[in-house]
Amino acid sequence: MATGILLAGAGLAVMAAIVSVGGGYLSFLPGMLAMGIGMGLSMTPSTEAITSALPQERQGVASALNDVTREFGTALGVALLGALLSSGTGAAVMAALFLYVLARGPRQPTRTPANEPEPANATAP
């Protein structure tokens, strides 16, 4: 089980080191493979340890509780990561917009025929 946890951690480290925007999907592959193999090596023994620690008539409840806990943790992690990314993205967009306006400098609005005022001496046709 410890080998699986270490392999999953190594997969995360590989992804942090080599994944980039320009790398494409293949840059994800080594880290995802390591994480998947590591999770497979660690979750199966942990489920076995949880269920075998109880009498046979309670093993179904233990397995269900283990699955619910795992699903809840996954959903919570995705929600928190989504909130974190969306708040960071919003702040980055506002900062980029501020820097763009700051670099562009003050500008006068352009005049177009649509917002041009009518001359005072204009007569209706």
Side-chain angles (χ1 to χ4, degrees):
M1 185 164 40
T3 305
I5 294 170
L6 289 174
L7 191 57
L12 284 172
V14 166
M15 286 188 66
I18 68 170
V19 172
S20 68
V21 175
Y25 290 119
L26 287 178
S27 66
F28 280 93
L29 189 62
M32 291 298 278
L33 282 174
M35 285 192 326
I37 293 169
M39 286 181 198
L41 289 173
S42 63
M43 287 189 182
T44 304
S46 69
T47 302
E48 177 66 27
I50 289 168
T51 55
S52 65
L54 294 172
Q56 190 167 3
E57 62 270 1
R58 295 203 164 226
Q59 287 181 356
V61 174
S63 177
L65 186 59
N66 181 41
D67 290 341
V68 165
T69 305
R70 188 176 294 159
E71 292 294 328
F72 180 71
T74 302
L76 186 63
V78 168
L80 289 175
L81 185 62
L84 182 68
L85 289 176
S86 69
S87 69
T89 304
V93 168
M94 290 304 291
L97 183 61
F98 175 74
L99 290 176
Y100 170 75
V101 169
L102 189 66
R104 189 181 77 161
R107 303 251 172 122
Q108 296 296 327
T110 57
R111 299 187 92 161
T112 61
N115 66 8
E116 211 39 56
E118 292 272 337
N121 58 1
T123 58

XYZ file of all heavy atoms in Angstrom:
860
model
N 0.832 -1.192 0.000
C 0.000 0.000 0.000
C 0.874 1.252 0.000
O 0.540 2.218 -0.667
C -0.925 -0.021 1.212
C -1.897 1.118 1.213
S -3.333 1.026 2.294
C -2.781 0.346 3.790
N 1.970 1.245 0.730
C 2.860 2.408 0.781
C 3.498 2.660 -0.582
O 3.691 3.823 -0.973
C 3.931 2.205 1.841
N 3.787 1.585 -1.312
C 4.353 1.746 -2.657
C 3.379 2.486 -3.566
O 3.777 3.356 -4.332
C 4.686 0.360 -3.258
O 5.548 -0.334 -2.369
C 5.328 0.493 -4.613
N 2.101 2.147 -3.459
C 1.090 2.819 -4.273
C 0.970 4.289 -3.946
O 0.846 5.131 -4.836
N 1.009 4.606 -2.662
C 0.916 6.013 -2.254
C 2.137 6.784 -2.750
O 2.015 7.911 -3.252
C 0.752 6.117 -0.731
C -0.598 5.524 -0.316
C 0.872 7.559 -0.258
C -0.776 5.360 1.166
N 3.312 6.187 -2.641
C 4.522 6.850 -3.134
C 4.485 7.022 -4.653
O 4.905 8.058 -5.176
C 5.759 6.055 -2.726
C 6.114 6.092 -1.243
C 7.273 5.146 -0.948
C 6.452 7.503 -0.823
N 3.967 6.016 -5.363
C 3.875 6.113 -6.821
C 2.869 7.185 -7.248
O 3.114 7.940 -8.186
C 3.502 4.756 -7.409
C 3.600 4.601 -8.915
C 5.005 4.921 -9.414
C 3.219 3.191 -9.326
N 1.753 7.278 -6.542
C 0.780 8.330 -6.839
C 1.376 9.709 -6.563
O 1.181 10.655 -7.340
C -0.495 8.129 -6.020
N 2.117 9.841 -5.472
C 2.789 11.113 -5.175
C 3.835 11.456 -6.214
O 3.993 12.621 -6.603
N 4.561 10.438 -6.692
C 5.548 10.675 -7.747
C 4.854 11.116 -9.034
O 5.367 11.976 -9.760
C 6.368 9.413 -7.997
N 3.691 10.554 -9.319
C 2.928 10.983 -10.489
C 2.517 12.441 -10.391
O 2.568 13.185 -11.379
N 2.087 12.864 -9.203
C 1.758 14.279 -8.999
C 2.980 15.167 -9.203
O 2.892 16.236 -9.822
C 1.185 14.490 -7.605
C -0.246 14.059 -7.380
C -0.602 14.149 -5.900
C -1.197 14.904 -8.196
N 4.120 14.724 -8.699
C 5.349 15.507 -8.863
C 5.755 15.587 -10.326
O 6.183 16.648 -10.803
C 6.474 14.888 -8.035
N 5.616 14.484 -11.049
C 5.933 14.491 -12.483
C 5.012 15.453 -13.221
O 5.449 16.222 -14.078
C 5.832 13.060 -13.070
C 5.820 13.073 -14.588
C 6.978 12.204 -12.567
N 3.723 15.424 -12.882
C 2.793 16.347 -13.547
C 3.119 17.803 -13.225
O 3.036 18.665 -14.094
C 1.355 16.013 -13.167
C 0.867 14.757 -13.854
S -0.862 14.438 -13.619
C -1.605 15.796 -14.466
N 3.489 18.071 -11.995
C 3.842 19.442 -11.619
C 5.097 19.904 -12.347
O 5.251 21.085 -12.655
C 4.044 19.548 -10.115
N 5.993 18.971 -12.660
C 7.266 19.342 -13.280
C 7.180 19.476 -14.794
O 7.806 20.366 -15.364
C 8.332 18.310 -12.915
N 6.415 18.618 -15.477
C 6.516 18.600 -16.937
C 5.271 19.039 -17.682
O 5.352 19.313 -18.879
C 6.938 17.207 -17.458
C 5.854 16.174 -17.222
C 8.245 16.779 -16.861
C 6.106 14.850 -17.906
N 4.126 19.123 -17.035
C 2.912 19.517 -17.755
C 2.957 21.014 -18.034
O 3.233 21.813 -17.158
C 1.649 19.140 -16.953
C 0.406 19.712 -17.599
C 1.531 17.637 -16.851
N 2.693 21.360 -19.292
C 2.656 22.767 -19.671
C 1.570 22.958 -20.718
O 1.075 22.003 -21.300
C 4.007 23.214 -20.221
O 4.259 22.578 -21.447
N 1.239 24.203 -20.959
C 0.212 24.513 -21.943
C 0.658 24.089 -23.330
O -0.113 23.530 -24.102
C -0.105 26.030 -21.917
C -1.075 26.401 -23.012
C -0.654 26.419 -20.568
N 1.915 24.306 -23.657
C 2.416 23.961 -24.987
C 2.732 22.486 -25.159
O 2.958 22.023 -26.269
N 2.748 21.718 -24.068
C 3.121 20.312 -24.146
C 2.068 19.410 -24.747
O 2.362 18.302 -25.166
N 0.831 19.845 -24.769
C -0.243 19.022 -25.312
C -0.637 17.911 -24.352
O -0.212 17.855 -23.201
N -1.479 17.013 -24.871
C -2.001 15.935 -24.039
C -0.942 14.914 -23.654
O -1.042 14.271 -22.616
C -3.154 15.231 -24.746
C -4.393 16.084 -24.850
C -4.918 16.442 -26.078
C -5.034 16.527 -23.711
C -6.044 17.222 -26.171
C -6.166 17.313 -23.785
C -6.675 17.656 -25.016
O -7.791 18.428 -25.096
N 0.069 14.731 -24.476
C 1.088 13.738 -24.160
C 1.920 14.116 -22.940
O 2.515 13.242 -22.310
C 1.997 13.505 -25.362
C 1.360 12.710 -26.505
C 2.333 12.577 -27.663
C 0.927 11.340 -26.027
N 1.958 15.382 -22.592
C 2.698 15.768 -21.392
C 1.988 15.285 -20.126
O 2.608 15.148 -19.077
C 2.919 17.278 -21.350
O 1.703 17.961 -21.199
N 0.682 15.011 -20.203
C -0.076 14.493 -19.070
C 0.160 13.003 -18.845
O -0.012 12.506 -17.747
C -1.589 14.663 -19.301
C -2.102 16.021 -19.012
C -2.196 16.969 -20.004
C -2.520 16.354 -17.745
C -2.686 18.226 -19.750
C -3.014 17.605 -17.468
C -3.092 18.541 -18.471
N 0.499 12.282 -19.894
C 0.493 10.822 -19.860
C 1.380 10.198 -18.779
O 0.884 9.364 -18.011
C 0.849 10.274 -21.244
C 0.681 8.777 -21.420
C -0.766 8.383 -21.225
C 1.166 8.357 -22.790
N 2.660 10.555 -18.648
C 3.481 9.878 -17.624
C 2.948 10.066 -16.208
O 2.867 9.103 -15.429
C 4.861 10.516 -17.775
C 4.875 11.165 -19.101
C 3.463 11.503 -19.432
N 2.563 11.277 -15.877
C 2.053 11.536 -14.531
C 0.734 10.844 -14.263
O 0.507 10.297 -13.183
N -0.161 10.847 -15.258
C -1.457 10.196 -15.075
C -1.306 8.688 -14.953
O -2.014 8.056 -14.163
C -2.389 10.547 -16.241
C -2.825 11.994 -16.253
S -3.768 12.452 -14.804
C -5.362 11.863 -15.260
N -0.401 8.101 -15.736
C -0.164 6.659 -15.612
C 0.371 6.310 -14.226
O -0.089 5.352 -13.595
C 0.808 6.183 -16.689
C 0.234 6.011 -18.081
C 1.340 5.677 -19.076
C -0.820 4.932 -18.097
N 1.337 7.079 -13.747
C 1.901 6.815 -12.426
C 0.840 6.993 -11.338
O 0.744 6.170 -10.413
C 3.095 7.736 -12.168
N 0.021 8.036 -11.439
C -1.021 8.244 -10.436
C -2.063 7.132 -10.485
O -2.514 6.651 -9.439
C -1.693 9.602 -10.630
C -0.843 10.739 -10.170
S -1.674 12.337 -10.054
C -2.830 12.345 -11.359
N -2.463 6.713 -11.681
C -3.453 5.652 -11.791
C -2.955 4.332 -11.237
O -3.673 3.639 -10.501
N -1.733 3.968 -11.574
C -1.164 2.722 -11.045
C -0.991 2.819 -9.529
O -1.304 1.881 -8.789
C 0.174 2.397 -11.753
C -0.091 2.067 -13.226
C 0.887 1.251 -11.063
C 1.160 1.985 -14.071
N -0.537 3.969 -9.052
C -0.358 4.156 -7.611
C -1.668 4.076 -6.850
O -1.749 3.456 -5.783
N -2.723 4.687 -7.399
C -4.025 4.616 -6.725
C -4.571 3.198 -6.748
O -5.180 2.746 -5.772
C -5.003 5.581 -7.383
C -4.749 7.013 -7.052
S -5.978 8.050 -7.851
C -5.185 9.616 -7.759
N -4.354 2.494 -7.840
C -4.794 1.105 -7.897
C -4.062 0.239 -6.889
O -4.652 -0.663 -6.268
N -2.776 0.509 -6.701
C -1.992 -0.270 -5.747
C -2.301 0.086 -4.293
O -2.042 -0.707 -3.386
C -0.492 -0.066 -5.995
C 0.072 -0.709 -7.252
C 1.522 -0.275 -7.458
C -0.027 -2.220 -7.177
N -2.844 1.272 -4.046
C -3.105 1.661 -2.660
C -4.568 1.508 -2.255
O -4.855 1.157 -1.109
C -2.645 3.100 -2.415
O -3.390 3.989 -3.211
N -5.508 1.741 -3.161
C -6.926 1.694 -2.773
C -7.443 0.272 -2.590
O -8.275 0.027 -1.715
C -7.768 2.451 -3.794
C -7.600 3.928 -3.690
S -8.782 4.776 -4.712
C -8.323 6.451 -4.434
N -6.980 -0.648 -3.388
C -7.445 -2.032 -3.245
C -7.031 -2.623 -1.901
O -7.875 -3.177 -1.190
C -6.926 -2.879 -4.420
O -7.348 -2.270 -5.632
C -7.455 -4.287 -4.348
N -5.766 -2.510 -1.488
C -5.419 -3.038 -0.156
C -6.108 -2.297 0.991
O -6.436 -2.906 2.010
C -3.908 -2.859 -0.067
C -3.440 -2.713 -1.449
C -4.565 -2.108 -2.206
N -6.351 -0.990 0.830
C -7.016 -0.270 1.921
C -8.468 -0.716 2.055
O -8.968 -0.883 3.172
C -6.930 1.241 1.707
O -7.715 1.637 0.610
N -9.154 -0.941 0.942
C -10.525 -1.456 1.005
C -10.546 -2.854 1.611
O -11.416 -3.176 2.431
C -11.145 -1.476 -0.408
O -11.125 -0.155 -0.939
C -12.569 -1.984 -0.369
N -9.589 -3.679 1.238
C -9.488 -5.028 1.801
C -9.234 -4.972 3.305
O -9.834 -5.729 4.075
C -8.361 -5.794 1.106
C -8.116 -7.161 1.634
C -9.274 -8.121 1.398
O -10.028 -7.932 0.430
O -9.415 -9.057 2.198
N -8.381 -4.063 3.749
C -8.101 -3.943 5.180
C -9.325 -3.470 5.951
O -9.593 -3.945 7.067
C -6.935 -2.982 5.399
N -10.084 -2.550 5.362
C -11.280 -2.038 6.034
C -12.330 -3.125 6.170
O -12.907 -3.331 7.241
C -11.843 -0.820 5.267
C -10.913 0.376 5.428
C -13.241 -0.465 5.743
C -11.214 1.519 4.496
N -12.602 -3.838 5.093
C -13.672 -4.832 5.132
C -13.278 -6.078 5.917
O -14.113 -6.689 6.577
C -14.108 -5.224 3.719
O -12.974 -5.678 2.976
C -14.756 -4.065 3.004
N -12.030 -6.486 5.878
C -11.636 -7.709 6.582
C -11.491 -7.497 8.088
O -11.399 -8.464 8.835
C -10.335 -8.257 6.005
O -9.271 -7.367 6.242
N -11.480 -6.251 8.539
C -11.359 -5.980 9.969
C -12.675 -6.197 10.706
O -12.691 -6.187 11.936
C -10.877 -4.551 10.189
N -13.763 -6.399 9.957
C -15.084 -6.563 10.578
C -15.608 -7.977 10.349
O -15.151 -8.683 9.449
C -16.059 -5.546 9.974
C -15.748 -4.082 10.267
C -16.657 -3.187 9.471
C -15.912 -3.803 11.749
N -16.598 -8.376 11.136
C -17.214 -9.668 10.869
C -17.909 -9.671 9.505
O -18.264 -8.627 8.970
C -18.241 -9.836 11.993
C -18.104 -8.682 12.894
C -17.137 -7.721 12.306
N -18.123 -10.869 8.969
C -18.639 -11.000 7.610
C -20.009 -10.341 7.441
O -20.295 -9.780 6.385
C -18.708 -12.465 7.222
C -18.995 -12.655 5.753
C -18.763 -14.073 5.306
O -18.430 -14.938 6.103
N -18.943 -14.302 4.024
N -20.854 -10.373 8.459
C -22.187 -9.774 8.313
C -22.143 -8.250 8.274
O -23.112 -7.606 7.877
C -23.132 -10.255 9.423
C -22.717 -9.894 10.826
C -21.823 -10.941 11.481
O -21.496 -11.963 10.851
O -21.437 -10.711 12.638
N -21.038 -7.631 8.638
C -20.912 -6.166 8.604
C -19.995 -5.679 7.483
O -19.805 -4.476 7.342
C -20.395 -5.655 9.931
C -21.357 -5.906 11.048
C -21.080 -4.946 12.134
N -22.197 -4.923 13.036
C -22.721 -3.802 13.477
N -22.249 -2.660 13.098
N -23.724 -3.844 14.320
N -19.442 -6.569 6.714
C -18.508 -6.163 5.664
C -19.186 -5.372 4.543
O -18.579 -4.489 3.951
C -17.785 -7.382 5.095
C -16.753 -7.937 6.043
C -16.012 -9.133 5.491
O -16.316 -9.612 4.400
N -15.036 -9.611 6.237
N -20.436 -5.653 4.266
C -21.165 -4.892 3.250
C -21.330 -3.434 3.644
O -21.171 -2.524 2.833
N -21.651 -3.218 4.916
C -21.798 -1.850 5.421
C -20.459 -1.130 5.381
O -20.374 0.041 4.999
C -22.379 -1.865 6.856
C -22.407 -0.467 7.445
C -23.756 -2.473 6.859
N -19.396 -1.809 5.742
C -18.064 -1.203 5.730
C -17.647 -0.838 4.308
O -17.099 0.244 4.070
C -17.047 -2.154 6.346
N -17.932 -1.712 3.359
C -17.594 -1.428 1.970
C -18.391 -0.239 1.437
O -17.845 0.626 0.746
C -17.859 -2.667 1.115
O -17.606 -2.396 -0.240
N -19.683 -0.200 1.770
C -20.519 0.917 1.323
C -20.056 2.228 1.936
O -19.985 3.261 1.249
C -21.981 0.653 1.677
N -19.731 2.202 3.221
C -19.257 3.418 3.885
C -17.924 3.873 3.300
O -17.688 5.074 3.104
C -19.141 3.188 5.385
C -18.788 4.405 6.226
C -19.831 5.490 6.052
C -18.668 4.019 7.680
N -17.066 2.937 2.985
C -15.791 3.258 2.339
C -16.033 3.914 0.980
O -15.405 4.931 0.643
C -14.952 1.992 2.194
C -13.625 2.251 1.558
O -12.966 3.243 1.839
N -13.204 1.363 0.684
N -16.946 3.362 0.198
C -17.243 3.926 -1.125
C -17.876 5.317 -1.023
O -17.528 6.220 -1.793
C -18.160 2.993 -1.910
C -17.461 1.723 -2.332
O -16.214 1.715 -2.335
O -18.155 0.742 -2.654
N -18.801 5.487 -0.080
C -19.436 6.797 0.093
C -18.408 7.842 0.505
O -18.401 8.969 -0.007
C -20.583 6.709 1.131
C -21.011 8.081 1.606
C -21.757 5.972 0.537
N -17.527 7.476 1.418
C -16.485 8.395 1.867
C -15.564 8.779 0.719
O -15.209 9.952 0.547
C -15.675 7.755 3.007
O -16.575 7.366 4.036
C -14.661 8.714 3.564
N -15.193 7.813 -0.090
C -14.320 8.078 -1.242
C -15.012 8.994 -2.252
O -14.425 9.951 -2.756
C -13.926 6.756 -1.898
C -12.882 6.916 -2.965
C -12.453 5.574 -3.506
N -11.764 4.831 -2.465
C -11.606 3.518 -2.466
N -12.092 2.794 -3.440
N -10.956 2.938 -1.499
N -16.288 8.722 -2.555
C -17.027 9.563 -3.502
C -17.230 10.981 -2.965
O -17.114 11.956 -3.705
C -18.386 8.933 -3.829
C -18.297 7.654 -4.614
C -17.751 7.857 -6.013
O -17.982 8.919 -6.604
O -17.074 6.937 -6.511
N -17.547 11.089 -1.674
C -17.730 12.405 -1.071
C -16.438 13.209 -1.104
O -16.436 14.398 -1.419
C -18.233 12.266 0.367
C -18.453 13.586 1.044
C -19.500 14.406 0.688
C -17.588 14.022 2.040
C -19.696 15.631 1.297
C -17.765 15.237 2.664
C -18.829 16.048 2.288
N -15.335 12.566 -0.800
C -14.037 13.244 -0.855
C -13.692 13.709 -2.256
O -13.176 14.808 -2.456
N -14.001 12.876 -3.246
C -13.745 13.260 -4.641
C -14.604 14.458 -5.035
O -14.113 15.417 -5.632
C -14.026 12.075 -5.572
O -13.196 10.980 -5.191
C -13.759 12.433 -7.017
N -15.899 14.408 -4.708
C -16.795 15.512 -5.064
C -16.386 16.804 -4.362
O -16.388 17.887 -4.965
C -18.233 15.155 -4.704
N -16.025 16.698 -3.098
C -15.590 17.885 -2.357
C -14.297 18.454 -2.934
O -14.149 19.674 -3.070
C -15.422 17.533 -0.880
C -15.111 18.689 0.063
C -16.261 19.675 0.075
C -14.853 18.156 1.460
N -13.375 17.574 -3.288
C -12.120 18.033 -3.885
C -12.330 18.735 -5.213
O -11.734 19.783 -5.482
N -13.204 18.182 -6.058
C -13.493 18.811 -7.348
C -14.164 20.166 -7.143
O -13.837 21.150 -7.819
C -14.357 17.879 -8.226
C -14.919 18.605 -9.421
C -13.550 16.675 -8.666
N -15.101 20.240 -6.199
C -15.785 21.509 -5.938
C -14.817 22.570 -5.416
O -14.852 23.727 -5.855
C -16.922 21.296 -4.941
N -13.957 22.190 -4.491
C -12.997 23.161 -3.954
C -11.985 23.595 -5.007
O -11.646 24.777 -5.092
C -12.272 22.575 -2.738
C -13.113 22.419 -1.483
C -12.324 21.708 -0.395
C -13.587 23.768 -0.993
N -11.529 22.662 -5.805
C -10.583 23.015 -6.864
C -11.244 23.917 -7.901
O -10.644 24.889 -8.367
C -10.037 21.756 -7.534
C -8.961 21.974 -8.582
C -7.728 22.628 -7.964
C -8.586 20.659 -9.230
N -12.497 23.627 -8.248
C -13.222 24.491 -9.185
C -13.407 25.892 -8.650
O -13.233 26.880 -9.366
N -13.743 26.001 -7.366
C -13.901 27.326 -6.755
C -12.579 28.074 -6.720
O -12.515 29.275 -7.006
C -14.472 27.186 -5.349
N -11.517 27.366 -6.401
C -10.195 27.986 -6.356
C -9.767 28.464 -7.737
O -9.280 29.593 -7.898
C -9.186 26.992 -5.789
C -7.758 27.479 -5.632
C -7.694 28.528 -4.540
C -6.849 26.318 -5.298
N -9.961 27.627 -8.741
C -9.564 28.015 -10.096
C -10.413 29.152 -10.636
O -9.911 30.051 -11.301
C -9.632 26.809 -11.031
C -8.567 25.745 -10.818
C -8.801 24.561 -11.745
C -7.182 26.314 -11.030
N -11.718 29.121 -10.353
C -12.566 30.196 -10.874
C -12.260 31.523 -10.188
O -12.282 32.573 -10.820
C -14.042 29.846 -10.731
O -14.420 29.833 -9.381
N -11.958 31.491 -8.900
C -11.620 32.755 -8.232
C -10.272 33.268 -8.722
O -10.083 34.468 -8.903
C -11.599 32.576 -6.716
O -10.513 31.765 -6.333
N -9.329 32.386 -8.948
C -8.030 32.805 -9.473
C -8.134 33.318 -10.895
O -7.478 34.282 -11.277
N -8.988 32.682 -11.703
C -9.170 33.120 -13.080
C -9.815 34.496 -13.123
O -9.400 35.352 -13.888
C -10.031 32.109 -13.853
O -9.420 30.837 -13.772
C -10.180 32.500 -15.299
N -10.821 34.715 -12.289
C -11.490 36.020 -12.264
C -10.531 37.131 -11.874
O -10.518 38.203 -12.472
N -9.699 36.868 -10.880
C -8.726 37.874 -10.454
C -7.690 38.122 -11.538
O -7.278 39.266 -11.770
C -8.054 37.426 -9.167
N -7.276 37.066 -12.234
C -6.280 37.226 -13.303
C -6.856 38.015 -14.473
O -6.161 38.849 -15.064
C -5.794 35.852 -13.773
N -8.115 37.770 -14.804
C -8.749 38.515 -15.900
C -8.872 39.993 -15.529
O -8.592 40.872 -16.350
C -10.126 37.903 -16.244
C -10.929 38.813 -17.144
C -9.948 36.548 -16.889
N -9.282 40.269 -14.301
C -9.403 41.670 -13.882
C -8.047 42.360 -13.857
O -7.917 43.516 -14.250
C -10.071 41.752 -12.504
C -11.536 41.383 -12.514
S -12.512 42.372 -13.669
C -12.465 43.946 -12.874
N -7.008 41.662 -13.422
C -5.668 42.245 -13.402
C -5.177 42.517 -14.824
O -4.596 43.571 -15.099
C -4.699 41.318 -12.686
N -5.421 41.577 -15.742
C -5.010 41.782 -17.135
C -5.767 42.941 -17.763
O -5.185 43.744 -18.505
C -5.236 40.506 -17.938
N -7.053 43.052 -17.477
C -7.851 44.161 -18.003
C -7.351 45.490 -17.437
O -7.213 46.475 -18.177
C -9.318 43.945 -17.661
C -10.302 44.980 -18.190
C -10.262 45.023 -19.714
C -11.692 44.671 -17.708
N -7.050 45.530 -16.156
C -6.532 46.745 -15.541
C -5.199 47.149 -16.173
O -4.987 48.324 -16.503
C -6.371 46.535 -14.033
C -5.737 47.692 -13.337
C -6.441 48.863 -13.117
C -4.421 47.623 -12.907
C -5.852 49.943 -12.474
C -3.827 48.690 -12.269
C -4.545 49.854 -12.046
N -4.306 46.184 -16.364
C -3.007 46.487 -16.970
C -3.158 46.936 -18.418
O -2.430 47.822 -18.882
C -2.083 45.268 -16.880
C -1.602 44.935 -15.465
C -0.786 43.655 -15.483
C -0.807 46.077 -14.876
N -4.115 46.352 -19.138
C -4.354 46.767 -20.524
C -4.827 48.213 -20.572
O -4.324 49.022 -21.358
C -5.391 45.848 -21.172
C -5.865 46.343 -22.511
C -5.054 46.227 -23.634
C -7.107 46.931 -22.653
C -5.480 46.683 -24.863
C -7.542 47.393 -23.875
C -6.727 47.273 -24.984
O -7.154 47.731 -26.195
N -5.782 48.562 -19.727
C -6.302 49.935 -19.712
C -5.213 50.892 -19.244
O -5.070 51.994 -19.784
C -7.554 50.021 -18.814
C -7.966 51.454 -18.565
C -8.688 49.239 -19.434
N -4.417 50.481 -18.268
C -3.341 51.323 -17.772
C -2.286 51.560 -18.854
O -1.803 52.680 -19.027
C -2.709 50.668 -16.540
C -1.708 51.495 -15.766
C -2.408 52.692 -15.142
C -1.064 50.649 -14.683
N -1.942 50.511 -19.609
C -0.936 50.652 -20.662
C -1.462 51.457 -21.836
O -0.710 52.177 -22.494
C -0.495 49.270 -21.141
N -2.742 51.343 -22.113
C -3.331 52.058 -23.242
C -3.414 53.550 -22.969
O -3.285 54.366 -23.858
C -4.728 51.493 -23.510
C -5.339 51.999 -24.792
C -6.691 51.424 -24.963
N -7.598 52.156 -24.069
C -8.896 52.188 -24.191
N -9.468 51.488 -25.128
N -9.639 52.875 -23.376
N -3.606 53.919 -21.726
C -3.686 55.326 -21.365
C -5.075 55.881 -21.600
O -5.942 55.238 -22.207
N -5.300 57.122 -21.124
C -6.632 57.720 -21.311
C -6.880 58.044 -22.779
O -5.994 58.514 -23.485
C -6.581 58.984 -20.451
C -5.138 59.286 -20.295
C -4.404 57.982 -20.394
N -8.025 57.767 -23.235
C -8.413 58.049 -24.614
C -9.748 58.782 -24.616
O -10.605 58.541 -23.784
C -8.575 56.746 -25.407
C -7.359 55.879 -25.417
C -6.738 55.897 -26.785
N -5.452 55.222 -26.755
C -5.152 54.201 -27.498
N -6.027 53.718 -28.334
N -3.962 53.672 -27.435
N -9.883 59.651 -25.584
C -11.160 60.322 -25.781
C -12.079 59.397 -26.570
O -11.627 58.683 -27.454
C -10.951 61.632 -26.550
C -10.124 62.649 -25.804
C -10.813 63.114 -24.536
O -12.029 63.195 -24.485
N -10.021 63.382 -23.508
N -13.347 59.413 -26.270
C -14.260 58.567 -27.048
C -14.311 59.049 -28.488
O -14.227 60.244 -28.777
C -15.605 58.730 -26.349
C -15.470 59.936 -25.491
C -14.019 60.136 -25.221
N -14.402 58.128 -29.389
C -14.473 58.498 -30.804
C -15.885 58.963 -31.126
O -16.861 58.497 -30.539
C -14.118 57.296 -31.684
O -14.990 56.220 -31.376
C -12.681 56.866 -31.463
N -15.958 59.884 -32.075
C -17.258 60.410 -32.455
C -17.713 59.697 -33.708
O -16.978 59.580 -34.670
C -17.165 61.907 -32.686
C -16.718 62.634 -31.428
C -16.795 64.069 -31.623
N -18.122 64.453 -31.145
C -18.455 65.669 -30.825
N -17.614 66.641 -30.952
N -19.656 65.940 -30.397
N -18.906 59.230 -33.657
C -19.511 58.574 -34.808
C -20.806 59.286 -35.148
O -21.354 60.017 -34.322
C -19.814 57.097 -34.504
O -20.746 57.039 -33.418
C -18.557 56.337 -34.126
N -21.322 59.127 -36.355
C -22.588 59.787 -36.702
C -23.729 59.398 -35.775
O -24.644 60.169 -35.552
C -22.866 59.316 -38.126
C -21.534 58.951 -38.681
C -20.728 58.474 -37.512
N -23.679 58.226 -35.188
C -24.769 57.795 -34.316
C -24.809 58.603 -33.023
O -25.879 58.861 -32.492
C -24.623 56.310 -34.001
N -23.647 59.030 -32.493
C -23.672 59.789 -31.245
C -23.318 61.262 -31.456
O -23.047 61.971 -30.530
C -22.766 59.145 -30.189
C -21.289 59.191 -30.565
O -20.902 59.826 -31.545
N -20.470 58.514 -29.784
N -23.325 61.699 -32.664
C -23.067 63.090 -33.023
C -24.319 63.918 -32.709
O -25.428 63.545 -33.078
C -22.792 63.115 -34.514
C -21.872 64.109 -35.141
C -20.607 64.492 -34.448
O -19.768 63.638 -34.119
O -20.463 65.681 -34.260
N -24.173 65.028 -31.991
C -25.385 65.846 -31.715
C -25.861 66.560 -32.985
O -25.085 66.838 -33.898
C -24.908 66.834 -30.668
C -23.427 66.900 -30.834
C -22.984 65.566 -31.368
N -27.136 66.793 -33.025
C -27.727 67.539 -34.149
C -27.272 68.988 -34.076
O -27.197 69.568 -32.997
C -29.248 67.485 -34.061
C -29.835 66.128 -34.298
C -30.096 65.888 -35.772
O -30.240 66.852 -36.525
O -30.129 64.710 -36.155
N -26.929 69.594 -35.210
C -26.609 71.027 -35.189
C -27.804 71.829 -34.747
O -28.961 71.465 -34.976
C -26.237 71.352 -36.636
C -26.080 70.032 -37.333
C -26.765 69.012 -36.510
N -27.567 72.960 -34.075
C -28.640 73.795 -33.524
C -29.499 74.401 -34.623
O -30.698 74.606 -34.435
C -28.049 74.891 -32.654
N -28.957 74.670 -35.794
C -29.723 75.325 -36.837
C -30.261 74.338 -37.886
O -30.647 74.724 -38.961
C -28.887 76.404 -37.517
C -27.604 75.821 -38.115
O -27.364 74.609 -38.029
N -26.790 76.690 -38.702
N -30.319 73.089 -37.554
C -30.798 72.072 -38.517
C -32.322 72.173 -38.616
O -33.013 72.392 -37.629
C -30.407 70.681 -38.072
N -32.806 72.035 -39.813
C -34.259 72.073 -40.042
C -34.727 70.695 -40.474
O -34.003 69.953 -41.120
C -34.631 73.108 -41.119
O -33.940 72.757 -42.324
C -34.251 74.491 -40.678
N -35.939 70.384 -40.129
C -36.499 69.091 -40.496
C -36.833 69.104 -41.990
O -37.247 70.118 -42.533
C -37.749 68.816 -39.692
N -36.681 68.006 -42.699
C -36.978 67.991 -44.156
C -38.437 68.104 -44.469
O -39.329 67.909 -43.811
C -36.452 66.640 -44.607
C -36.160 65.833 -43.407
C -36.163 66.768 -42.242
